[in-house]
Amino acid sequence: MRRIVLGAFLLIQLFATIGLAQQDRLQGRWEGTVQSLQGERQAVATFKKEGDSYTGTITGMRGDMPLKEIKLEGDKLTAQAEVETPQGNFLIKYSFVLEGEALKGKGEVDFGGQTFSFDINLKRAGEQTAQAAAAASPPRQQSQRPRGDVPQPQQKQSLDYFAGQWNFKWLGRDSALGPGSREGIVTFAKSADGKSLEGQVVGKSDEGSYQEKIIISFDEATKTVTFYERRSNGVEIRSKGDWSSPLSIRFTIDPVKVKGQNIQLRRTISVVSAHSFTVVEEISEDGSAFVRLGNALFSKVNQ
């Protein structure tokens, strides 16, 4: 009789343990929104409990990204995701508060020394928990980090993309072309004939306030975009960009001579969304090897 009672007791404990595992407060599928400078978009996060740790994914701009270093301490949840871009790899740090069926927090990413953050609000998705959690764990045999090469929203190649007002922040090194770190607003308006955009830059740097002029034209047939820039120090830069891919523009830039130096630039614009693009430039001075000059983030002003 004692053996029967003991066996029943052990079975009850086993079932209770299984029940607790199935009802893990984090495991499952969470759905909601991400709010950032680029506006609001849908987001999904999934988590799976594996022993004493978790695996998971979260919606990124290029599809689901694997989460790593997932830690749940009390109501505080932290995790990280790494994103590969033409500008290099960026680490996104997530922090959440878990309250019942709600998971709220933010993500932060360091872009060239400047931190950008976005708010995330998620709620438990209900009956899809087990299936979504199983999908959250990346295949174990995959040793390389996923690149997230799933389709992303693509912007039509057109002058209309650049038209309007943009905030920008540029981080980089000083050069003969001007100060390395600067910020401001650039406003693009269509010319009288509608064949180009005329841009006015109003910015500030450590050297003070400045103004610049930019003219952009676009050839629809060849998908070629042309920039003419007149910097605040009088330097004129002319460049042609290949916009055959809706995701990026790679420029060929005419060499310039400034203060006795022969300057050659490389530039890539990455089209992130309808409201955001990034710029990366490299510089060669007097035939030296190309080095990183700087990078910038442009965010469209709501009008």
Side-chain angles (χ1 to χ4, degrees):
M1 182 67 178
R2 291 179 61 187
R3 291 182 178 179
I4 295 175
V5 172
L6 179 60
F9 177 74
L10 291 174
L11 282 173
I12 291 172
Q13 282 192 317
L14 176 61
F15 291 140
T17 300
I18 294 174
L20 287 173
Q22 292 175 339
Q23 298 172 11
D24 182 88
R25 56 200 298 252
L26 178 61
Q27 177 168 287
R29 179 182 176 92
W30 301 77
E31 298 177 350
T33 59
V34 172
Q35 186 70 44
S36 67
L37 288 173
Q38 289 76 46
E40 184 178 275
R41 67 177 189 272
Q42 299 300 306
V44 174
T46 56
F47 298 93
K48 181 181 179 182
K49 186 72 177 290
E50 294 189 348
D52 295 329
S53 61
Y54 292 93
T55 59
T57 64
I58 193 167
T59 303
M61 298 192 69
R62 297 186 177 184
D64 289 343
M65 301 183 298
L67 290 169
K68 59 183 182 180
E69 297 189 22
I70 303 172
K71 296 179 181 178
L72 180 62
E73 298 177 347
D75 293 334
K76 308 296 184 183
L77 172 67
T78 58
Q80 297 181 1
E82 192 167 3
V83 182
E84 293 185 1
T85 74
Q87 293 77 43
N89 293 355
F90 295 93
L91 189 66
I92 304 176
K93 296 181 179 180
Y94 296 94
S95 59
F96 295 94
V97 175
L98 176 58
E99 295 181 344
E101 302 299 294
L103 193 59
K104 297 182 179 181
K106 66 179 181 179
E108 291 186 339
V109 58
D110 183 278
F111 185 86
Q114 182 181 10
T115 300
F116 298 91
S117 62
F118 46 92
D119 296 324
I120 308 173
N121 293 304
L122 305 173
K123 291 186 178 180
R124 188 177 290 280
E127 299 300 325
Q128 303 177 47
T129 297
Q131 295 177 348
S137 179
R140 293 187 177 275
Q141 67 272 19
Q142 185 175 355
S143 58
Q144 296 182 343
R145 182 172 59 254
R147 297 181 59 89
D149 290 332
V150 298
Q152 68 182 85
Q154 297 180 357
Q155 308 306 315
K156 176 179 173 57
Q157 298 99 313
S158 167
L159 285 177
D160 292 336
Y161 175 77
F162 289 103
Q165 195 171 69
W166 302 78
N167 289 318
F168 70 88
K169 186 159 188 177
W170 182 279
L171 299 170
R173 51 174 286 194
D174 295 342
S175 73
L177 297 175
S181 295
R182 55 196 187 271
E183 61 184 50
I185 294 177
V186 56
T187 304
F188 291 106
K190 282 194 175 181
S191 60
D193 60 10
K195 295 181 179 180
S196 63
L197 293 177
E198 297 179 354
Q200 297 294 329
V201 179
V202 178
K204 61 181 180 179
S205 69
D206 292 340
E207 299 178 2
S209 300
Y210 69 92
Q211 295 186 14
E212 295 179 344
K213 179 180 180 180
I214 304 174
I215 297 177
I216 304 177
S217 58
F218 179 63
D219 187 328
E220 174 70 30
T222 62
K223 294 293 189 291
T224 300
V225 59
T226 303
F227 275 54
Y228 164 78
E229 305 162 59
R230 184 176 177 82
R231 299 289 178 94
S232 58
N233 58 4
V235 176
E236 297 182 353
I237 300 175
R238 293 175 172 82
S239 57
K240 287 186 178 180
D242 178 1
W243 203 358
S244 56
S245 166
L247 302 180
S248 64
I249 310 171
R250 298 186 181 276
F251 286 85
T252 300
I253 303 177
D254 294 341
V256 294
K257 193 164 187 173
V258 186
K259 298 179 180 179
Q261 283 187 308
N262 294 311
I263 304 295
Q264 178 72 61
L265 284 178
R266 289 176 179 170
R267 175 186 298 155
T268 300
I269 292 179
S270 294
V271 180
V272 178
S273 70
H275 307 284
S276 179
F277 66 89
T278 63
V279 182
V280 173
E281 284 188 348
E282 296 177 307
I283 188 171
S284 170
E285 298 168 313
D286 292 326
S288 63
F290 279 92
V291 296
R292 178 66 62 90
L293 176 61
N295 48 258
L297 174 67
F298 286 74
S299 300
K300 202 160 195 177
V301 178
N302 293 327
Q303 296 178 320

